[in-house]
Amino acid sequence: MLDSFKLDGKVALVTGATHGIGMAIASALAEAGAQIVVNDISKENLDRGIADYAKKGIDCKGYIFDVTDEAGVIAGVEQIEKEVGPIGILVNNAGIIKRVPMQDMEVKDYRQVIDIDLVGPFIMGKYVGRKMIERREGKIINICSMMSELGRNDVCAYASAKGGLKMLTKNMATEWAKFGIQTNGIGPGYFATSQTEAIRVDGHPFNEFIINRTPAARWGNPEDLAGTAVFLASKASDFVNGHVVYVDGGILATIGKPSNED
Ligand code: NAP
Ligand code: GCO
């Protein structure tokens, strides 16, 4: 049964994975035997990321393209399939957030978050999915969020995108299961990465709020996502389709507790 978690011989593309959650997921897939490929929009960040993977003993291939650029995605997917091999696993990880009260948010900023966090996974899914359909097999993992289920102040664009990404995940699962493709999501809770740095610093009220709101009483570490990612990328999940697996320390299980309760 453990062999069903092995990814030997598979090529895994993890978008925006030069650090943070994407790097942790890509590293786990590599440890399970996959050849990993990452993309970024910045050559500097890509080069640094590839070097960081090498320091971990991981041979990671890197490509520059923007997940919102359809022509760039088409060219990037063709180049990866030609130079590395058929993409068997796609992780739509690339994403941004803008924290602004809705009444103050510029339309262009709202659109940018939707473009990267929702339209990007659609474009990536469409063009990698076409290849997977030809081969009658594939694994797609969309990185969702607590904001796929819950709202909070100042993140209307991000919640719109991540809520949409949950439903895009279900629709991809519905349309493509007949082609031997399984599409699922991972919904991280609150994780210590550069994306949350601004709200996680010691003394920031949100830091204390998250510690209290999370039954595990801690921020997630990107490595906490490794096992779920390998499971959803492997044969072990061949009959799992259209689900978002929340790795959140228990946040979604509870309404929370008063700050003076243990
Ligand atoms: P992060 O450190 O900000 O990493 C995001 C990555 O996406 C960066 O490498 C970034 O590249 C890349 N990216 C941004 N726009 C892109 C584009 N248009 N095309 C290609 N790559 C692009 O964030 P993270 O915390 O690791 O989050 C990774 C994913 O997990 C995101 O989808 C995020 O929404 C989600 N998530 C995070 C948390 C959390 O608590 N941290 C929880 C739930 C879900 P550059 O560095 O070059 O800009
Ligand atoms: C925020 C955080 C969250 C996390 C994550 C929670 O400002 O609320 O950045 O959005 O990144 O998505 O699951």
Side-chain angles (χ1 to χ4, degrees):
M1 185 276 291
L2 291 179
D3 284 350
S4 67
F5 288 82
K6 290 181 178 176
L7 302 178
D8 298 87
K10 296 293 184 185
V11 173
L13 170 58
V14 185
T15 64
T18 57
H19 55 266
I21 282 174
M23 174 168 268
I25 288 176
S27 301
L29 301 181
E31 192 173 337
Q35 166 61 60
I36 59 170
V37 181
V38 301
N39 77 303
D40 203 298
I41 49 180
S42 149
K43 185 176 187 320
E44 181 189 356
N45 287 343
L46 186 66
D47 291 347
R48 185 176 63 244
I50 298 296
D52 289 344
Y53 279 109
K55 287 175 192 161
K56 292 150 70 96
I58 296 172
D59 168 29
C60 176
K61 310 299 183 188
Y63 291 81
I64 300 269
F65 60 87
D66 180 330
V67 296
T68 66
D69 170 14
E70 187 175 15
V73 168
I74 293 170
V77 169
E78 288 302 328
Q79 197 178 3
I80 292 166
E81 294 237 331
K82 181 182 172 190
E83 296 174 0
V84 184
I87 300 167
I89 300 158
L90 169 65
V91 181
N92 280 311
N93 167 77
I96 66 166
I97 192 169
K98 290 182 184 289
R99 301 182 182 93
V100 180
M102 181 167 170
Q103 66 273 19
D104 300 329
M105 185 166 224
E106 299 288 340
V107 172
K108 67 177 175 58
D109 290 333
Y110 183 90
R111 284 200 170 109
Q112 185 189 19
V113 174
I114 298 289
D115 209 19
I116 295 170
D117 294 13
L118 181 56
V119 180
F122 163 76
I123 296 171
M124 289 301 308
K126 176 180 176 181
Y127 290 103
V128 174
R130 283 181 173 180
K131 303 288 188 180
M132 291 177 170
I133 289 169
E134 285 171 14
R135 296 188 279 262
R136 291 296 191 271
E137 66 173 350
K139 295 282 186 179
I140 300 174
I141 301 170
N142 295 322
I143 304 302
C144 297
S145 161
M146 293 291 95
M147 272 70 239
S148 298
E149 301 292 345
L150 303 170
R152 92 167 182 86
N153 286 349
D154 303 345
V155 296
C156 66
Y158 185 82
S160 303
K162 293 298 187 178
L165 186 56
K166 175 180 75 171
M167 290 315 301
L168 179 61
T169 299
K170 292 177 184 292
N171 228 74
M172 290 162 85
T174 300
E175 290 199 52
W176 290 349
K178 59 180 174 284
F179 298 123
I181 300 166
Q182 293 81 49
T183 307
N184 292 284
I186 293 176
Y190 278 82
F191 277 67
T193 73
S194 55
Q195 192 233 50
T196 56
E197 202 161 1
I199 58 172
R200 187 165 35 88
V201 292
D202 281 346
H204 193 294
F206 202 83
N207 182 43
E208 184 183 344
F209 167 71
I210 286 300
I211 299 296
N212 186 57
R213 182 68 178 75
T214 306
R218 67 173 175 88
W219 287 78
N221 297 311
E223 292 68 30
D224 288 320
L225 298 163
T228 303
V230 169
F231 167 61
L232 292 177
S234 71
K235 289 193 64 57
S237 61
D238 275 1
F239 205 51
V240 178
N241 209 22
H243 291 287
V244 178
V245 180
Y246 288 99
V247 184
D248 67 353
I251 291 175
L252 290 180
T254 178
I255 61 166
K257 61 184 179 2
S259 54
N260 62 349
E261 262 187 29
D262 284 339

